[in-house]
Amino acid sequence: MLGEPAHIKVQYSLCHSNKGRIVMIEETNTISETKIRLTDSIAKYLYLGNILEENIFPYPKIEGEEAETLEMVLDSIDKFLEGKQDQFREFDEKGAQSDEYLQNLRELGLFGLIIPEEHGGIGFSNKSYSRALQQTSQYDGSTSLTIGAHSSIGMRGLLLFGSDEQKARYMPRLATGEMIAAFCLTEPGSGSDAGSIATSAEKQQDGSWVLNGEKIWITNGPFADFFTVFARTDSDSGKISAFIVERSFGGVTSGPKEDKMGIRASGTCTISFENVKVPPENLLGDEGKGFKVAMAILNSGRTGLGGGCVGGMKRCIKLATAQASERKQFGRPISEFGLIKKKIAQMTVDCFAAESLVNMVAYLIDSGHEDYSVEAAMSKIFATEALWKHANEALQVAGGSGFMKEYPYEGIVRDCRINMIFEGTNEILRLYVALSGFQTAGEYLKEIGKSGKNIFNDPIKGFGVLSDYASKKLTQLTSVGRDRLGFVHQTLSEEAEIFEQYTVEFSKSVEAILRKHGKNIIGKQFASERIANTAIDIMAGLCVLSRVSSLIEEKGEPACAQAISIARIFSQQAKRRMNQNLRRIDKNEDEAQKELANYIFEEGKYPWDVL
Ligand SMILES: Cc1cc2nc3c(=O)[nH]c(=O)nc-3n(C[C@H](O)[C@H](O)[C@H](O)COP(=O)(O)OP(=O)(O)OC[C@H]3O[C@@H](n4cnc5c(N)ncnc54)[C@H](O)[C@@H]3O)c2cc1C
């Protein structure tokens, strides 16, 4: 175990967040006598070997008036979407939702979920919003995407950065769906490297802007009227700015609808901007701060996608259990076979963990935590990959039927594949999770600010270099201690111990990696992936323990037997994965794999044959 070094005196001042929870907000480091503000990111603190338990326990709930409104919305979603599977198949084949269907979504109020009541919306928190998308996803992925692209990313910039005047001007029409919103970041030459966009906005003498460029694969693009557009405005304050663009400004054109593998009924197309005149009052946020706006939107919107994934998983479990109970082979329902039971149990454990993590992230956002970007990235990675496994397993349980278009399984597989690609690919997000944690280790010593701290503040823009000085200092980072999880219910004390122990092991590995690679850590993607995977397992495990502990408190142990079992299974499985990931940081085949890949790139093909 690593102890706190004598030369660093750490003082934590505790304060209450707006939900009455205690959060650490400040650290005084006597090395420099200057105060730095530490964020209350649970995930980032894990890299220091600390668990901010007060931020995770008790598990958050949706209560009171909001719960009542949510129940009503869920009920109307059920009533509307129930029995529409034939229609969804028709939309899937045609590659579009009908105008009438879009109108129905408007009338249900589904475009106003996160818009404050004063502007005509329902005013949901992120928890309720995420839960609502969970419900729509139990019926149809494309429906969730049409609603989600509007609220999670299309108009979220207005919600987060819009002026009062901008909100008053647009929100009422966005709430009714009179205006549907789209988010325009990706371009032909700029995907993961979003900082490299070429769309330009030139400032005119009268303060207005002229926009030129092309955005690709824009969800809701065929019918949106409100676009959050990112364009290059190179100025002293930054390179990119965000704008609200209306289709009615002129010069905005939609390309043909993309013919996609999945979520085919959602609308995706190119949006071209040709000499589009944007009034000065439509700059969103500060000039030059558009990249920050884009990342804040994506971070804040992730629980929509996460909720959608959880809904998809619940649908898979329902379908697979019905199929396995009905289908008889060898004279018995296949549900009686061990390998089918294993699939259903694993799906349930992963769904519970994903749900626990996604809802926790939504709570963090709702309760005013300033720094949740790493937790949000973790929830996106975990939920999207869990759904992918669910879809695959549900199809497998259905056997050959699963492969037939007559059944829903192949459609679910097609629909959920995109989740691991858009809103930040899971590779880029894993690097973000890892490198943000490494930066926290640097921040702890306060030195990294001198060497490009800002490179870590965005998930996509690129990954800079730690200074030699900072990395030398990082070698002295030994202030990790073993945090005890005091709030976990005693029934789960063994499980708590797993995460206590691995949080310390994890931070030791972080330190060892930094010591070994110094500034070259940026290029160590294999190691970064293992670190990210371990951090995700710890974070998901803590959310599961928090949720099950709260359930036991509320309902008593006997009523929670299955939830306790889920916590046990997840903890043991996570322990094995964490052990494997951490051990393989030193003992691995990374270099051999890189060389092999280089060889194959040179050859341009698999060069062996048995002939
Ligand atoms: C159906 C659909 C809907 C979409 N909706 C929208 C939308 O509404 N608005 C919008 O702006 N965009 C949208 N997108 C675009 C989407 O966000 C991008 O596709 C995504 O960001 C990835 O970019 P890319 O496709 O150019 O892949 P690339 O960036 O070219 O990446 C290709 C592969 O390389 C990997 N990779 C890239 N860089 C690195 C690195 N540094 N290290 C390791 N691996 C790396 C990636 O993870 C990926 O596996 C949509 C895309 C699709 C397909």
Side-chain angles (χ1 to χ4, degrees):
M1 194 194 302
L2 302 166
E4 189 172 292
H7 67 284
I8 298 177
K9 186 175 159 232
V10 179
Q11 295 170 346
Y12 291 114
S13 58
L14 302 175
C15 79
H16 289 270
S17 71
N18 58 357
K19 289 278 176 182
R21 288 174 175 226
I22 295 169
V23 293
M24 288 179 194
I25 59 158
E26 199 173 82
E27 179 191 58
T28 308
N29 184 333
T30 55
I31 292 176
S32 60
E33 296 299 330
T34 54
K35 284 188 172 186
I36 58 165
R37 184 182 159 81
L38 280 182
T39 62
D40 53 358
S41 164
I42 302 159
K44 288 183 183 174
Y45 263 88
L46 296 175
Y47 287 75
L48 303 175
N50 290 326
I51 298 170
L52 294 187
E53 196 181 2
E54 294 86 350
N55 290 6
I56 311 172
F57 292 81
Y59 193 77
K61 282 182 79 170
I62 303 172
E63 288 172 310
E65 216 177 287
E66 183 167 21
E68 282 169 29
T69 313
L70 178 60
E71 296 271 4
M72 272 161 33
V73 170
L74 298 184
D75 192 47
S76 57
I77 288 173
D78 283 338
K79 285 196 177 112
F80 175 62
L81 296 182
E82 193 94 63
K84 283 203 163 48
Q85 287 311 318
D86 288 346
Q87 193 175 15
F88 296 142
R89 185 165 308 140
E90 199 185 296
F91 291 166
D92 178 71
E93 277 163 17
K94 221 172 93 189
Q97 290 151 341
S98 67
D99 291 344
E100 188 193 348
Y101 184 74
L102 277 176
Q103 187 53 29
N104 288 335
L105 297 180
R106 286 186 184 97
E107 284 160 12
L108 269 173
L110 293 178
F111 290 102
L113 292 174
I114 60 160
I115 294 178
E117 284 175 86
E118 76 219 60
H119 294 298
I122 297 177
F124 269 166
S125 65
N126 285 285
K127 285 199 300 297
S128 294
Y129 169 64
S130 174
R131 180 62 188 82
L133 283 194
Q134 190 193 119
Q135 202 73 3
T136 53
S137 297
Q138 293 183 42
Y139 299 93
D140 179 49
S142 288
T143 300
S144 295
L145 189 60
T146 301
I147 302 162
H150 173 86
S151 294
S152 295
I153 52 177
M155 51 130 301
R156 191 164 288 251
L158 177 67
L159 190 72
L160 296 176
F161 295 95
S163 64
D164 289 346
E165 183 278 323
Q166 287 171 333
K167 286 180 184 170
R169 191 149 42 104
Y170 288 115
M171 281 200 167
R173 282 178 287 166
L174 289 162
T176 57
E178 178 191 335
M179 275 188 141
I180 292 179
F183 175 83
C184 300
L185 180 63
T186 307
E187 299 181 1
S190 170
S192 297
D193 182 11
S196 67
I197 56 170
T199 294
S200 67
E202 276 183 35
K203 202 172 194 170
Q204 309 299 295
Q205 282 196 335
D206 62 357
S208 67
W209 303 83
V210 172
L211 230 75
N212 278 290
E214 187 185 57
K215 300 288 181 178
I216 60 168
W217 304 330
I218 303 307
T219 307
N220 289 349
F223 42 80
D225 305 293
F226 175 104
F227 302 91
T228 300
V229 185
F230 300 88
R232 194 157 282 285
T233 52
D234 296 293
S235 70
D236 291 344
S237 54
K239 292 188 163 135
I240 294 170
S241 299
F243 298 91
I244 296 168
V245 178
E246 293 181 40
R247 192 184 284 277
S248 62
F249 286 170
V252 181
T253 49
S254 300
K257 268 187 209 155
E258 299 290 349
D259 192 5
K260 306 188 294 282
M261 167 185 173
I263 42 137
R264 289 175 50 76
S266 69
T268 314
C269 69
T270 294
I271 299 288
S272 302
F273 302 94
E274 203 184 336
N275 293 323
V276 178
K277 191 156 183 202
V278 181
E281 60 272 20
N282 275 33
L283 178 72
L284 183 62
D286 294 332
E287 185 181 335
K289 300 294 178 210
F291 200 86
K292 203 176 140 206
V293 171
M295 294 309 120
I297 291 171
L298 290 169
N299 288 331
S300 168
R302 290 203 199 292
T303 55
L305 181 56
C309 289
V310 172
M313 286 181 239
K314 290 186 176 178
R315 183 179 179 206
C316 287
I317 293 170
K318 199 170 174 187
L319 286 167
T321 46
Q323 175 74 19
S325 305
E326 280 161 25
R327 175 69 175 167
K328 285 200 175 112
Q329 286 295 282
F330 304 97
R332 316 191 248 166
I334 61 168
S335 59
E336 290 182 15
F337 298 120
L339 292 181
I340 300 293
K341 286 187 203 289
K342 185 180 167 202
K343 290 183 200 302
I344 300 294
Q346 191 61 53
M347 287 159 81
T348 308
V349 169
D350 290 347
C351 182
F352 189 93
E355 187 178 41
S356 306
L357 181 54
V358 167
N359 187 53
M360 177 65 81
V361 173
Y363 158 76
L364 294 176
I365 303 173
D366 291 338
S367 56
H369 284 245
E370 283 176 21
D371 190 0
Y372 52 78
S373 61
V374 176
E375 290 84 348
M378 289 171 157
S379 71
K380 193 267 187 180
I381 296 166
F382 192 94
T384 57
E385 291 176 8
L387 174 56
W388 178 239
K389 283 185 265 172
H390 272 68
N392 192 38
E393 290 294 51
L395 189 148
Q396 190 72 13
V397 167
S401 303
F403 203 67
M404 300 298 151
K405 280 205 173 270
E406 186 189 341
Y407 292 86
Y409 306 95
E410 61 83 34
I412 297 175
V413 169
R414 286 190 286 108
D415 281 354
C416 71
R417 184 61 185 86
I418 185 60
N419 297 330
M420 296 181 287
I421 297 171
F422 62 15
E423 296 193 23
T425 69
N426 287 11
E427 287 81 9
I428 293 294
L429 292 178
R430 275 197 166 84
L431 295 174
Y432 178 66
V433 167
L435 295 177
S436 297
F438 286 131
Q439 188 215 11
T440 302
E443 265 180 359
Y444 189 72
L445 289 167
K446 198 179 171 315
E447 304 299 344
I448 203 160
K450 296 174 185 164
S451 64
K453 176 182 170 191
N454 291 334
I455 55 148
F456 291 98
N457 284 346
D458 59 69
I460 291 171
K461 197 174 183 179
F463 305 110
V465 178
L466 291 171
S467 73
D468 282 335
Y469 182 58
S471 48
K472 265 186 217 133
K473 281 285 176 194
L474 285 167
T475 62
Q476 298 163 18
L477 173 64
T478 53
S479 61
V480 292
R482 181 163 174 155
D483 258 15
R484 307 303 310 204
L485 280 166
F487 294 153
V488 175
H489 193 275
Q490 58 184 24
T491 305
L492 296 169
S493 56
E494 222 172 280
E495 286 67 33
E497 211 171 299
I498 291 173
F499 293 101
E500 288 164 4
Q501 186 197 334
Y502 272 91
T503 303
V504 174
E505 294 302 323
F506 171 67
S507 67
K508 283 185 190 170
S509 295
V510 167
E511 184 186 357
I513 289 175
L514 287 169
R515 194 175 278 158
K516 185 170 171 192
H517 298 299
K519 66 183 179 184
N520 296 324
I521 183 59
I522 306 301
K524 302 293 172 196
Q525 295 199 343
F526 287 59
S528 293
E529 183 182 49
R530 291 183 188 115
I531 285 296
N533 286 344
T534 309
I536 293 168
D537 262 330
I538 298 174
M539 188 68 207
L542 293 173
C543 292
V544 168
L545 292 187
S546 168
R547 186 173 174 196
V548 178
S549 295
S550 291
L551 278 174
I552 299 172
E553 289 297 332
E554 193 185 319
K555 299 184 174 171
E557 218 176 305
C560 298
Q562 299 308 331
I564 293 168
S565 172
I566 286 174
R568 298 219 156 108
I569 297 170
F570 184 85
S571 301
Q572 290 302 331
Q573 292 180 336
K575 181 180 171 180
R576 282 195 286 276
R577 288 191 296 262
M578 292 188 289
N579 188 32
Q580 175 82 338
N581 272 312
L582 295 182
R583 273 176 29 174
R584 286 185 59 222
I585 285 170
D586 285 328
K587 283 191 161 187
N588 54 58
E589 312 79 45
D590 297 358
E591 290 311 313
Q593 283 198 314
K594 274 190 236 166
E595 276 174 32
L596 177 60
N598 288 339
Y599 170 69
I600 298 296
F601 279 127
E602 260 174 44
E603 293 290 313
K605 60 175 186 180
Y606 175 84
W608 293 280
D609 199 328
V610 291
L611 278 176

